[in-house]
Amino acid sequence: MKIFFVCLNAWFIAQLIKVIINTVTYYYNKKKGISCGRVTIGTLFKLGGMPSSHTATVIALCGCVGLHSGFDTDLFAACGIFAFIVMFDAFKVRLPISRLTDAFNRLQGKVCGDGVEDVKKVEGHTIPEIIGGFIVGVCVSLFWVKCVGIFN
């Protein structure tokens, strides 16, 4: 249960960083007169953006398992494969689908008119967003295992 708490903590911190980045971006754009979406409490639960909360969560899982059970265990290997699949999916599957959805919605608007409801967009991640999530996951797992000592 301790590892679950660390993973949840990594997800929350990544989402909180997203809210902070989006808030700063909103006020910066507003100051320049650029229209953009408002930051709400719902922003805390949005997919996509910097850093990747999915990556932060699975890397925190890998970090905790590696630091607690050892980096040469089968459990760490399984967690590493799981983390790789999540990060690969975010970049190579969801990101292109996200871009295709944008193009489809623009095309649909031109062909069918503006009254047609857009297809729901599934957000993917860029490499910098995945790296950001990786850094958050490593830092959170190191903090909880080495600094706080949750397994002691």
Side-chain angles (χ1 to χ4, degrees):
M1 195 63 177
K2 294 174 182 177
I3 291 177
F4 175 78
F5 171 75
V6 173
C7 293
L8 190 64
N9 189 251
W11 172 85
F12 182 76
I13 289 171
Q15 289 297 106
L16 197 59
I17 291 169
K18 268 186 222 185
V19 170
I20 292 167
I21 290 171
N22 288 342
T23 303
V24 169
T25 303
Y26 172 78
Y27 285 110
Y28 177 77
N29 287 341
K30 189 176 177 183
K31 188 176 182 181
K32 290 185 127 199
I34 301 171
S35 176
C36 59
R38 195 171 244 307
V39 179
T40 63
I41 193 69
T43 307
L44 191 60
F45 300 101
K46 282 195 170 185
L47 300 175
M50 172 66 118
S52 166
S53 56
H54 289 87
T55 301
T57 304
V58 294
I59 294 302
L61 172 67
C62 284
C64 284
V65 168
L67 292 167
H68 180 62
S69 302
F71 291 98
D72 60 346
T73 62
D74 292 340
L75 183 58
F76 177 75
C79 291
I81 291 168
F82 175 63
F84 174 78
I85 290 169
V86 168
M87 293 183 292
F88 184 83
D89 176 71
F91 179 65
K92 286 290 192 177
V93 178
R94 288 189 308 141
L95 183 62
I97 289 173
S98 168
R99 292 177 177 161
L100 282 171
T101 305
D102 284 340
F104 178 81
N105 286 334
R106 283 192 307 273
L107 181 62
Q108 181 179 349
K110 288 179 181 177
V111 172
C112 301
D114 292 333
V116 179
E117 187 175 331
D118 283 350
V119 173
K120 187 174 186 252
K121 184 176 173 181
V122 177
E123 293 287 338
H125 287 288
T126 62
I127 293 291
E129 293 168 347
I130 292 171
I131 291 170
F134 187 93
I135 292 168
V136 170
V138 167
C139 291
V140 168
S141 62
L142 283 172
F143 173 77
W144 282 104
V145 174
K146 293 294 185 181
C147 297
V148 176
I150 61 167
F151 296 119
N152 295 337

